[in-house]
């Protein structure tokens, strides 16, 4: 009976020390260069989390587009185009352990894929928590389904249907 009360006290203290409610982080960037060559780069990123008791719900998204002037033709040419959007659910089991499940969809045709779907399932262990940092370790399983960019040398088989 006493050990059950102690365990309950530890969980209550761990839950009350975690920030509750919404947390947001937003970024936006514009980089333009001129001189021998001209480049433009635009990016945005959003991360949000909602914590209620021992449950945390996270969403994130980012976008990057870069272009450069072709030295021969003078036309603007896209050199990078990447985006992603995802969600993650975490549930604290006790003050050290939690489980998570997540999903991420992303695209980066310059890296060779039009769309990639990532599904995650795993556990997280909190090694040490201080006011300045959290040291943790995660282990899990990721299932990936990827649609590659079609090239002349290797056509995408889905285009044949």
């Amino acid at each position: 009976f006493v050990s059950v009360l102690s365990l309950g006290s530890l969980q209550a203290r761990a839950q009350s020390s975690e920030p509750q409610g919404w947390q947001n982080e937003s970024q936006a960037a514009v980089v333009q260069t001129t001189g021998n060559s001209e480049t433009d780069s635009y990016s945005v990123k959003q991360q949000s989390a909602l914590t209620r008791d021992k449950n945390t719900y996270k969403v994130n998204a980012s976008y990057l587009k870069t272009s450069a002037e072709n030295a021969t033709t003078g036309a603007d040419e896209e050199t990078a185009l990447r985006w992603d959007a995802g969600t993650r659910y975490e549930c604290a089991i006790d003050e050290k352990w939690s489980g998570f499940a997540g999903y991420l969809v992303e695209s980066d045709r310059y890296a060779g894929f039009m769309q990639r779907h990532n599904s995650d399932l795993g556990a997280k262990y909190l090694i040490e928590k201080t006011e300045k940092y959290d040291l943790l370790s995660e282990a899990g399983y990721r299932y990936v389904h990827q649609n590659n960019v079609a090239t002349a040398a290797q056509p995408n088989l889905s285009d044949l249907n």
Side-chain angles (χ1 to χ4, degrees):
F1 182 77
V2 174
S3 63
V4 172
L5 287 175
S6 297
L7 183 58
S9 301
L10 289 173
Q11 287 180 350
R13 187 169 56 239
Q15 290 173 4
S16 63
S17 68
E18 291 296 318
Q20 297 290 310
W22 285 100
Q23 294 178 329
N24 292 296
E25 181 181 327
S26 301
Q27 297 176 9
V30 176
V31 178
Q32 296 179 320
T33 62
T34 59
N36 291 342
S37 63
E38 293 185 15
T39 63
D40 297 320
S41 179
Y42 306 96
S43 66
V44 293
K45 183 177 181 180
Q46 174 65 38
Q47 293 179 323
S48 298
L50 173 62
T51 302
R52 293 276 188 242
D53 297 323
K54 61 182 182 174
N55 301 302
T56 302
Y57 310 91
K58 298 179 178 182
V59 294
N60 62 289
S62 68
Y63 175 83
L64 168 73
K65 182 177 181 179
T66 303
S67 61
E69 182 181 305
N70 183 309
T72 307
T73 65
D76 248 6
E77 292 183 357
E78 184 179 85
T79 56
L81 180 62
R82 181 189 63 70
W83 61 264
D84 62 63
T87 185
R88 180 171 163 142
Y89 169 71
E90 295 181 11
C91 181
I93 299 166
D94 61 26
E95 69 176 10
K96 294 281 190 180
W97 286 97
S98 62
F100 66 85
Y103 177 76
L104 175 72
V105 61
E106 57 187 333
S107 176
D108 188 344
R109 66 184 190 157
Y110 294 98
F113 61 93
M114 290 300 291
Q115 201 169 42
R116 180 164 52 199
H117 303 269
N118 305 293
S119 300
D120 300 326
L121 184 63
K124 181 168 75 170
Y125 179 73
L126 181 63
I127 298 168
E128 184 176 354
K129 183 179 181 93
T130 68
E131 289 184 24
K132 293 185 178 183
Y133 67 88
D134 295 344
L135 179 61
L136 56 93
S137 177
E138 288 186 355
Y141 173 77
R142 172 171 275 188
Y143 174 77
V144 177
H145 176 75
Q146 181 170 299
N147 300 320
N148 292 328
V149 173
T151 63
Q154 183 181 11
N156 191 341
L157 295 178
S158 65
D159 293 339
L160 301 176
N161 294 334

